[in-house]
Amino acid sequence: SFTLNQQVLFLLFHCIASSWTVKVPSTVKALVGSCVVIPCSFDYPSPQKVVRQFTGIWADETSHVIYHPEERKALVQYRNRTKLVGDLHGKNCSLKIDPVQTSDKGPYHFRIEIAQYNNYSYKENAVSPAVLVLKEEARLGDSVSALCSVSHTCPEFPPHFTWSHAGQKEVQHKIEGALWTTTSTLIFQVGHSDHNKPLECTVSHRGGTQQTANTVLSVKCKTLYCHIYIYIGVSIGAALLLLSILLLVVARK
C-alpha cells in the first residue's frame, strides 16, 4: 500500500503530467510570399476513456478562426492558405501558412476539441509571426538580415553555419514531414566598406559535407545618400541538402 507521502507525490505527478498545456514559440519569422510553419505541441488531462476524434482549430486574439478543418468556418482571408500539418493524435498542432501576407501578424492561439470529452483554447500561449518583406536595396546604416536555410534529415546533429561577415547570429529549427529545416540569420549594418564585398554562408554537416551560398553586396552612393544593391548567387551541392540564401531589409528602430 502507498504511504501518505507516496500518495501525495503520485497525485502531484499526475497533475503535472496531465494538464491543458501547449508549447509554441512566442514569435516566428515569416517571409511575405513564402510559407511559414508554426511549431506546436499540446497536452490535455488524461480522460478515463479512449478518445479518438480530435478537431484542431487556430484563432486570432479576437477568437476569429484562421484555420478549421471545415474551411467555410475560417475567415475568408485565411482560406486556402492555412493548413494543420501536425498529427493531433500525436499531440502535434503545428500550423502552416502559405503564402504569408503582410497582415499575418497574429497573435494566434490553438484550440483543441475532443469529442465526448472536453474542449480547450490555449489563449495564454499565443504566437505572433514577425513578417518580413523582401527588398532589393537598403540605405547606408540600415540593419540587413541575411537568411541561410538548409533542409536535412538528422535533427540529432544539426548543421553548423559559418558567415563571412561579422554580425549578430540566430539559429532556428523546424520540421515539416520527414525533413528538418535549420535557418541561420545574420544581422548587420550596411557600411561603405561593404561595397563589392562577398557575403558567404557555409553549411557544414555531420560527416564533413559542406555547402556554400554566396552573394555580392554593391553599395552605390550619390552625394549624401547611399544604397546597397543585392545580387544573389546560390551554390547547390548534394541532392538532399537544399541550400538557399535570402537577404531581407529590416527597418531601423
Side-chain angles (χ1 to χ4, degrees), residues 152 154-160 204-206:
H152 59 98
C154 188
E156 185 178 358
F157 298 98
H160 175 73
S204 302
H205 296 267
R206 177 175 169 80

Side-chain angles (χ1 to χ4, degrees), residues 15 61 71 74 150 165 175 237:
C15 291
E61 60 183 340
E71 197 171 67
V150 63
H165 198 294
I175 184 172

Side-chain angles (χ1 to χ4, degrees), residues 26-61:
S26 59
T27 185
V28 292
K29 292 179 180 177
L31 176 63
V32 170
S34 184
C35 68
V36 64
V37 174
I38 300 174
C40 173
S41 61
F42 69 101
D43 203 352
Y44 52 90
S46 299
Q48 301 302 313
K49 57 184 178 181
V50 177
V51 291
R52 294 187 175 87
Q53 187 176 342
F54 298 84
T55 301
I57 300 167
W58 279 84
D60 62 18
E61 60 183 340

Side-chain angles (χ1 to χ4, degrees), residues 10 14 18 44-51 114-118:
F10 175 77
H14 181 75
S18 303
Y44 52 90
S46 299
Q48 301 302 313
K49 57 184 178 181
V50 177
V51 291
I114 307 174
Q116 299 180 347
Y117 177 51
N118 211 337

Side-chain angles (χ1 to χ4, degrees), residues 107-129:
Y108 305 125
H109 66 269
F110 177 66
R111 173 179 171 81
I112 187 67
E113 296 183 353
I114 307 174
Q116 299 180 347
Y117 177 51
N118 211 337
N119 307 323
Y120 192 84
S121 294
Y122 301 91
K123 292 184 177 181
E124 67 280 7
N125 296 93
V127 55
S128 299

Side-chain angles (χ1 to χ4, degrees), residues 146-242:
L147 275 67
C148 190
S149 298
V150 63
S151 295
H152 59 98
T153 57
C154 188
E156 185 178 358
F157 298 98
H160 175 73
F161 293 83
T162 303
W163 289 92
S164 62
H165 198 294
Q168 178 186 343
K169 301 177 182 69
E170 300 174 357
V171 177
Q172 186 178 47
H173 308 276
K174 67 179 181 181
I175 184 172
E176 184 173 358
L179 281 180
W180 286 80
T181 299
T182 300
T183 301
S184 174
T185 302
L186 175 72
I187 303 172
F188 63 97
Q189 282 193 324
V190 176
H192 288 284
S193 60
D194 288 317
H195 181 57
N196 282 336
K197 186 176 182 178
L199 176 61
E200 188 173 275
C201 169
T202 300
V203 182
S204 302
H205 296 267
R206 177 175 169 80
T209 303
Q210 288 190 337
Q211 278 187 293
T212 299
N214 57 76
T215 183
V216 176
L217 307 178
S218 180
V219 180
K220 302 294 184 182
C221 297
K222 184 181 294 184
T223 61
L224 297 178
Y225 299 95
C226 298
H227 293 80
I228 178 171
Y229 295 86
I230 300 163
Y231 304 94
I232 298 177
V234 179
S235 172
I236 299 179
L240 267 181
L241 310 178
L242 309 176

